[in-house]
């Protein structure tokens, strides 16, 4: 019996090892130049908080505790499973023999308690799946039967575990055992009424065998299921982009000099191995898709589908390459022959152009994903292939590309007008100061929108006034400022981006600039976090932080009259300020300091859950095609802002300003949209 | 099929120009240059013809200083196969002189088609194509908005005021390309990389006689600000009076 069991265990682990090896080979089909061995500290931190403590899981208040119970239960019960397997081979083995009494009791009690919690949690999960149509769990790309199977499997594991323990107690009652396994003991006591000790012995064997088989088959089903996440989610969290404001959202620098065959990614081989691991780790929970502004408003994009597609395509390809002999995801498409896979690719066969161009690069999906998957990086790589490899993109963005190259701004304004907003304001340029051998305290990088867009220019002027009133010695680049190419990079045009970014870094380095302030979150992110790729190391500050610091230091002379009526404000978080750089408090604090009588009401989606205005990722330059039943992204957001009853919507980004102001205007609402700089400038004493 | 496309390098148009010292040229400081729009359409048409046929070669030719190589390179990155710079370092304004230089280059090479843009967007001149056809003694169709080349025949459509004209001629021929026929593609990085390895020949331009010279350039007078006379129907009589008496256009 024990020999047979030992053979079964070896076979099961052998099969699992083979599957694990297959998965590793599949990962190795991807790009391997994406090293993730650095930042051990930060990675361990992520592992602990996001992995072990389930920080992101708890963002959903219903599913969070449920999942955490199952996860922690699994961790605890793994110890029991080890004891179970070892004892199966060496029947005399028990943790009782190796652990001191107290510890052993701690162990057994925990087995019982967590077993019960897991059973409760999976029952609730099954109940929820079957009776409630939870929207985020649905979607064409999901495999809805897989979770039902898995949850039942886990339930059966728990039932057989308790059955085994309880029947052993009935068959062979030992005094004091109730203290070790209280729940099993209760079951034993109840069942001893109807089950005789001899029948219990048979039942115990039955439960024992089925528990063993369930454990081993579960282990081997995982690699074929979306529940592979049970195995890979912790490694995936460890290997994810190391957090830290700014760093998470940095796009990788492409080597454009090398002799590349394919630019960006057209298929899974051109994706990083980490993106492929992301595909394995995806649990199809749909948290990403449920917060995706494109998806919410009826666009064809679903970040979950992107990840499911990565995995499906990888399995199709690896099967064709003879790697995964029986590789296919549960309910997924059947494996095709090698010939049929050559004409197929991740791009177009699985993921369409329209899905890719719908993305606003808002990072809501990445932030929400409980296992730290980076959906956006796949989208970005595929966009790069569309633009760099095939010159395929919505025709509306052609003028933006051409204008960035020709006129140094995505809009076709005359570059000579770049500093027109400053006429009569007596603001020095870097060139003038340089000529006089002077250096400003800070360079004000105005940005293209702030320089040319009529609405954004008001913010620019307001911010300049604040700095003047506070006695800040600042200068601008005027005509020497040109787009740094961030919109091009986000739209996949890495070539144009690198050209512009290197130019901009060159200009800043000529003047030996050290400190930069800007009112545009996109400039802020690009210059602060991505310029280092081109040798540009500047201390870049967003104007919200800058203003807040000036206010805190009492340097901004504000009017003292506090007789103004209390006004209701709401603040809209910009993605590139918030999720990309974790600046949430500074703009809010600045508002409060400037307007002590103000009431700040938060929208339901705020801070790191803030919803995008719809302009990021180059969407600003594209047509928004609204499907039947869908709406514009800015409409969705403006409605949310208006529902707070606020009379002023404050923003800290010129793109958000345009999107929200447009939508508010279209609704005829008597609400103003103001940049925080305008709010503060409106309170200046001078 | 062998196709040649003549392209001109021009400054980006929607900026406010300044006149350079001497008053005979625009001040090039800060200006960005690119292919003249119509020449871009012509290059696109040529590339599409060879792509559709799966065979053929597109040669792009430009007269000018070394800076035109950048413009030629752009056409190569769009998909043209080789480029020829007919080098001449000072500006040439006479279309005949340019057409002669092009003719000297293009009379050899057995080109089935020679394409030019309908006009240069900077000087708005449009004579080179026709003169080139004359110098090479080939049929010429100007300002084409639709083109079919089949069995040695060119079928072209020209857009007239309120009508179309369908014109045919035999190959070899010289055609000038109007807008609406094709948009110049945005070069992919793949194309840009490939273009670096494509051949670019440089030969001195054999300009014909320059029979006219540019005397001076002037900017149009500054537009004077608008005036608001009133609003709605009430303002109409005053507007009519002003158009009659001040502007004298009624
Ligand atoms: S970045 Fe934003 S828009 Fe793009 S897929 Fe993720 S959630 Fe959707
Ligand atoms: S990518 Fe992450 S959030 Fe989205 S479905 Fe997969 S596991 Fe869930």
């Amino acid at each position: 019996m024990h020999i047979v069991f030992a053979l079964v265990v070896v076979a099961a682990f052998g099969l699992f090892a083979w599957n694990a090896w297959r998965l590793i080979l599949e990962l190795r089909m991807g790009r391997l130049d994406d090293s993730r061995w650095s930042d051990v500290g930060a990675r361990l931190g992520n592992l602990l908080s996001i992995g072990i403590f389930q920080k992101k899981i708890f963002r959903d208040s219903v599913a969070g505790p449920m999942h955490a119970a199952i996860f922690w239960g699994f961790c605890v019960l793994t110890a029991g499973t080890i004891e179970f397997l070892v004892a199966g081979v060496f029947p005399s083995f028990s943790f009782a023999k190796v652990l001191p009494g107290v510890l052993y009791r701690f162990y057994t009690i925990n087995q019982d308690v967590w077993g019960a919690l897991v059973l409760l949690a999976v029952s609730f999960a099954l109940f929820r799946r079957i009776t409630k149509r939870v929207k985020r769990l649905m979607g064409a790309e999901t495999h809805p039967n897989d979770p039902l199977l898995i949850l039942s499997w886990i339930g059966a594991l728990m039932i057989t575990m308790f059955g085994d323990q309880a029947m052993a107690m009935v068959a062979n009652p030992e005094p004091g055992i109730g203290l070790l396994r209280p729940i099993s003991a209760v079951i034993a006591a109840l069942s001893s009424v109807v089950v005789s000790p001899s029948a219990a012995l048979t039942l115990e064997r039955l439960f024992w065998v089925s528990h063993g088989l369930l454990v081993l088959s579960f282990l081997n089903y995982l690699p074929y299921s979306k529940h592979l996440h049970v195995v890979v989610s912790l490694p995936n969290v460890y290997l994810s982009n190391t957090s830290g404001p700014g760093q998470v959202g940095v796009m990788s620098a492409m080597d454009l000099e090398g002799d590349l065959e394919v630019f960006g990614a057209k298929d899974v081989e051109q994706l990083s191995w980490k993106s492929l691991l992301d595909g394995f780790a995806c649990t199809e929970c749909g948290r990403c898709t449920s917060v995706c502004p494109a998806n919410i408003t009826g666009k064809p994009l679903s970040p979950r589908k992107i990840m499911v597609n990565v995995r499906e395509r990888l399995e199709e390809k690896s099967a064709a390459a003879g790697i995964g002999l029986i590789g296919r995801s549960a309910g997924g498409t059947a494996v095709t022959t090698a010939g049929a896979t050559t004409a197929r690719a991740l791009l177009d066969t699985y993921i369409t152009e329209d899905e890719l161009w719908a993305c606003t690069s808002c990072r809501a999906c990445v932030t929400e994903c409980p296992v730290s998957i980076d959906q956006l990086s796949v989208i970005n790589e595929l966009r790069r292939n569309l633009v760099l490899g095939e010159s395929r993109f919505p025709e509306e963005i052609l003028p933006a590309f051409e204008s960035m190259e020709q006129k140094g701004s995505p809009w076709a304004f005359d570059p000579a007008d770049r500093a027109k907003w400053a006429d009569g304001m007596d603001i020095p340029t870097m060139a003038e100061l340089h000529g006089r051998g002077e250096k400003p305290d800070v360079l004000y990088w105005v940005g293209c929108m702030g320089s040319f867009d009529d609405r954004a220019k008001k913010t620019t002027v307001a911010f300049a006034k604040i700095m003047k009133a506070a006695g800040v010695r600042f200068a601008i680049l005027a005509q020497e400022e040109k787009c740094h190419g961030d919109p091009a990079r986000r739209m996949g045009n890495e070539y144009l981006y690198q050209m512009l970014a290197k130019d901009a870094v060159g200009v800043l380095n000529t003047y030996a600039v050290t400190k930069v302030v800007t009112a545009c979150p996109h400039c802020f992110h690009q210059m602060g976090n991505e310029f280092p790729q081109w040798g540009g190391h500047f201390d870049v500050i967003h104007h919200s932080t800058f203003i807040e610091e000036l206010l805190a230091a009492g340097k901004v002379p504000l009017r003292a009259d506090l007789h103004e009526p209390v006004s209701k404000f709401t603040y809209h978080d910009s993605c590139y300020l918030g999720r990309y750089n974790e600046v949430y408090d500074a703009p809010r604090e600045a508002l409060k300091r400037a307007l002590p009588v103000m009431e700040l009401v938060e929208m339901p989606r705020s801070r790191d859950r803030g919803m995008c205005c719809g302009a990021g990722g180059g969407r600003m330059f594209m047509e928004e095609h609204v499907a039947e039943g869908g709406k514009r992204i800015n409409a969705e957001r403006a409605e949310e802002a208006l529902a707070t009853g606020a009379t002023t919507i404050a923003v800290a980004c010129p793109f958000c300003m345009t999107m929200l102001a447009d939508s508010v205007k279209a609704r005829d609402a008597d609400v103003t949209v103001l940049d925080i700089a305008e709010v503060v400038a409106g309170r200046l004493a001078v | 099929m062998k196709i040649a496309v003549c392209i001109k390098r021009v400054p980006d148009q929607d900026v406010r120009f300044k006149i350079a010292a001497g008053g005979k040229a625009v001040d090039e400081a800060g200006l960005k240059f690119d292919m003249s729009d119509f020449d871009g359409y012509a290059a696109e048409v040529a590339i599409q013809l060879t792509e559709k046929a799966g065979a053929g070669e597109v040669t792009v030719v430009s007269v000018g200083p070394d800076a035109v190589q950048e413009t030629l390179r752009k056409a190569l990155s769009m998909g043209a196969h080789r480029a020829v710079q007919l080098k001449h370092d000072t500006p040439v304004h006479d279309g005949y002189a340019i057409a002669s230089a092009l003719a000297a280059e293009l009379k050899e090479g057995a080109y089935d088609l020679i394409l030019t843009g309908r006009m240069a967007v900077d000087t708005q001149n449009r004579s080179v194509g026709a003169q080139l056809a004359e110098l090479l003694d080939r049929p010429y169709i100007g300002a084409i908005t639709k083109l079919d080349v089949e069995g040695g025949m060119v079928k072209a459509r020209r857009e007239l005021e309120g009508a179309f004209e369908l014109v045919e001629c035999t190959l070899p021929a010289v055609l000038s390309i109007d807008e609406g026929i094709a948009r110049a593609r945005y070069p992919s990085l793949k194309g840009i990389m490939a273009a670096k390895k494509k051949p670019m020949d440089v030969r001195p331009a054999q300009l014909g006689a320059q029979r006219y010279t540019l005397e001076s350039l002037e900017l149009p007078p500054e537009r004077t600000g608008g005036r608001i006379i009133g609003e709605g129907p009430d303002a109409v009589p005053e507007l009519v009076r002003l158009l009659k008496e001040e502007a004298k256009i009624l």
Side-chain angles (χ1 to χ4, degrees), chain A residues 50-62:
Chain A
I50 300 170
I52 307 295
F53 289 112
Q54 305 264 290
K55 186 174 101 188
K56 288 169 135 196
I57 286 280
F58 278 109
R59 288 169 72 95
D60 181 326
S61 57
V62 178

Side-chain angles (χ1 to χ4, degrees), chain A residues 281-289 303-304 307 365 368-373 375:
Chain A
C282 176
T283 67
E284 298 179 10
C285 71
R287 291 177 189 228
C288 53
T289 296
R304 167 175 58 193
M307 296 327 297
C365 52
E368 210 57 49
C369 179
V371 294
S372 293
I373 283 169
Q375 303 88 336

Side-chain angles (χ1 to χ4, degrees), chain A residues 353-417:
Chain A
E353 247 180 288
D354 288 349
E355 292 169 55
L356 297 170
W357 293 118
C359 175
T360 69
S361 78
C362 73
R363 282 193 87 70
C365 52
V366 187
T367 306
E368 210 57 49
C369 179
V371 294
S372 293
I373 283 169
D374 193 342
Q375 303 88 336
L376 186 53
S377 126
V378 176
I379 294 174
N380 282 335
E381 290 302 321
L382 292 170
R383 276 190 176 190
R384 282 175 166 174
N385 184 264
L386 281 173
V387 174
L388 300 176
E390 307 188 19
S391 192
R392 238 161 78 193
F393 45 78
E395 61 176 0
E396 315 91 76
I397 62 182
L398 180 69
F401 284 161
E402 286 181 341
S403 187
M404 271 186 263
E405 188 170 343
Q406 295 286 327
K407 300 193 171 66
S409 128
W411 298 275
F413 290 104
D414 189 337
D417 291 344

